[in-house]
Amino acid sequence: MNDSSWGAQPSAGLRGPGGQGTSPGYGWEVPTSSAGPAHEVGEAAQTRPMPTVPHAGGDSGEAADRDRGAARQSGPLFRDEREPQPGPRQPAGRRPTPPDPAPDPAPADGAGGAGQGKKSAGRNLRAAIGVGIGLGVIILASLFIYKPVFVGVVAVAVVVGLWELTSRLTERKDIRVPLVPLAVGGVAMVVVGYVRGAQGAVVAVALTALAVLVWRMTEPPDNYLRDVTAGVFAAFYVPFLATFVALMLDTDDGPWRVLTFLLLTVVSDTGAYAVGWRFGKHPLAPRISPGKTREGLLGAVTFAMVAGALCMQYLIDDGVWWQGLLLGLAAAVSATLGDLGESMIKRDLGIKDMGKLLPGHGGIMDRLDSLLPTAPVVWLLLVIFVGGG
């Protein structure tokens, strides 16, 4: 094969041997007479004839085409080719107008999409900031003014989170999780954990799982195992993990421990968002959350370690700054894993957000995703470093 095989095609006016017209550069000839179909040189006749396309001028155009011996294809040469679709006619003397370029897709979430030429926040930042400030005021006021009110705030968040999770499971997977025993048991876990400590929380979660099994027995047995498995998972995923916040609160410096836990999680998410949005290029887990990057994870760890050192030094009784470095590192990792875990659930369900209750944030579960798995990690490390209070 030489270079001319990929170059421009010869004009239709060329003739082959014997006065026959040749098609432009495809290796098959079309006789000028209409005695038979087109055929390849030295090969068997084609099963499909190559008819000539009439000229716009009518019979005179057909005669001119026959005089030139040119053959035009009226359809695709092979069966797997598609028929050309007619496009809009352009005025004579004008070049075709190129189509508008497609806009750059926005990153999947706020961590800064890897490989994006144009970065976008991916959400309503004004609404997100306003809702965040409002939630912060409610949490801080209840935390430092009257601790039982804060326990109530946690219990309300647990019930709403359970409602969002079970609703999405029913809508997307037809998994019918009994919400009533989950909600009652979830509130009981948080309250008993604050009043009776870890032993009371363990008893409450066991009774909640048993209540889910019994409650589901009132319905037909179809998919019983699937529904109760999802119910027990929900009991551990939302209220049981939230109980560790109540355990942190039930100490002498409980509000400061809870504040440290909240600050580390929020700072970790903020560092991941800011650094990932500005510098993110390498995806962290593209199959789970395409917007999260390794650079964002590095930002989360850095910000959380600095915040942890400051919190342990100035907020926690008998705390030391180097303990805060370890605490911040562990909190950043657990918050990232929690975020990825809920992203995995949402991908399986085929949804973007768990709810729409919080403008700019999604649902309650979209805010609890990184808080829930971080609570037991911070609680355990604080007990190891400074004791149970």
Side-chain angles (χ1 to χ4, degrees):
M1 181 181 294
N2 52 31
D3 294 339
S4 62
S5 302
W6 298 91
Q9 300 174 356
S11 62
L14 298 179
R15 294 177 180 271
Q20 294 178 343
T22 60
S23 85
Y26 289 99
W28 42 269
E29 298 180 351
V30 180
T32 55
S33 63
S34 59
H39 62 276
E40 293 187 3
V41 179
E43 300 290 342
Q46 294 283 340
T47 58
R48 178 178 179 179
M50 296 292 116
T52 58
V53 179
H55 192 270
D59 295 337
S60 61
E62 293 179 1
D65 285 344
R66 287 196 298 269
D67 290 341
R68 288 196 300 267
R72 296 185 177 91
Q73 302 180 36
S74 61
L77 182 58
F78 302 104
R79 292 183 179 181
D80 58 349
E81 294 181 0
R82 295 182 178 179
E83 290 284 348
Q85 300 296 329
R89 301 187 63 181
Q90 299 287 341
R94 286 188 183 181
R95 295 181 179 180
T97 304
D100 295 334
D104 294 335
D109 55 26
Q116 297 286 346
K118 190 175 182 180
K119 299 189 178 182
S120 171
R123 58 177 176 171
N124 188 338
L125 285 181
R126 282 188 178 179
I129 293 173
V131 171
I133 292 175
L135 291 176
V137 170
I138 294 174
I139 291 172
L140 293 178
S142 60
L143 183 61
F144 286 96
I145 295 177
Y146 191 53
K147 291 196 291 186
V149 175
F150 178 78
V151 175
V153 172
V154 175
V156 171
V158 164
V159 172
V160 177
L162 285 171
W163 170 73
E164 290 179 347
L165 179 60
T166 55
S167 299
R168 301 297 87 76
L169 289 175
T170 302
E171 293 171 2
R172 309 299 298 187
K173 296 290 187 179
D174 197 28
I175 300 175
R176 304 188 179 277
V177 179
L179 178 60
V180 173
L182 276 178
V184 174
V187 173
M189 288 183 218
V190 175
V191 174
V192 173
Y194 174 70
V195 176
R196 295 295 182 182
Q199 293 181 349
V202 171
V203 174
V205 72
L207 292 177
T208 301
L210 180 61
V212 169
L213 298 177
V214 175
W215 191 281
R216 180 58 179 79
M217 290 180 184
T218 61
E219 298 181 5
D222 297 340
N223 299 317
Y224 174 81
L225 183 60
R226 181 196 65 180
D227 294 345
V228 297
T229 301
V232 174
F233 162 75
F236 276 91
Y237 181 45
V238 184
F240 179 71
L241 294 180
T243 302
F244 288 92
V245 180
L247 295 178
M248 278 187 280
L249 187 62
D250 186 28
T251 56
D252 296 336
D253 59 344
W256 298 107
R257 296 194 183 200
V258 174
L259 179 61
T260 298
F261 151 70
L262 295 174
L263 286 176
L264 291 180
T265 309
V266 172
V267 167
S268 173
D269 287 346
T270 304
Y273 177 81
V275 176
W277 182 84
R278 181 64 180 85
F279 302 103
K281 294 182 179 179
H282 303 89
L284 177 64
R287 292 186 178 182
I288 302 176
S289 184
K292 289 179 175 54
T293 60
R294 300 175 188 175
E295 292 80 3
L297 176 60
L298 181 61
V301 171
T302 303
F303 279 54
M305 290 180 70
V306 173
L310 295 175
C311 289
M312 287 296 293
Q313 186 70 34
Y314 297 106
L315 298 183
I316 304 300
D317 295 339
D318 301 325
V320 184
W321 65 270
W322 64 265
Q323 297 171 341
L325 295 178
L326 298 178
L327 185 66
L329 173 62
V333 173
S334 62
T336 302
L337 291 177
D339 201 349
L340 291 175
E342 202 209 17
S343 296
M344 197 77 169
I345 296 173
K346 291 190 289 188
R347 280 194 173 275
D348 186 26
L349 297 177
I351 57 177
K352 183 178 182 296
D353 294 320
M354 280 291 186
K356 300 179 180 179
L357 186 62
L358 305 177
H361 292 267
I364 289 291
M365 285 301 300
D366 297 301
R367 294 299 88 201
L368 296 179
D369 54 0
S370 55
L371 289 167
L372 290 174
T374 307
V377 173
V378 173
W379 172 81
L380 177 61
L381 290 179
L382 287 175
V383 170
I384 293 174
F385 290 150
V386 297

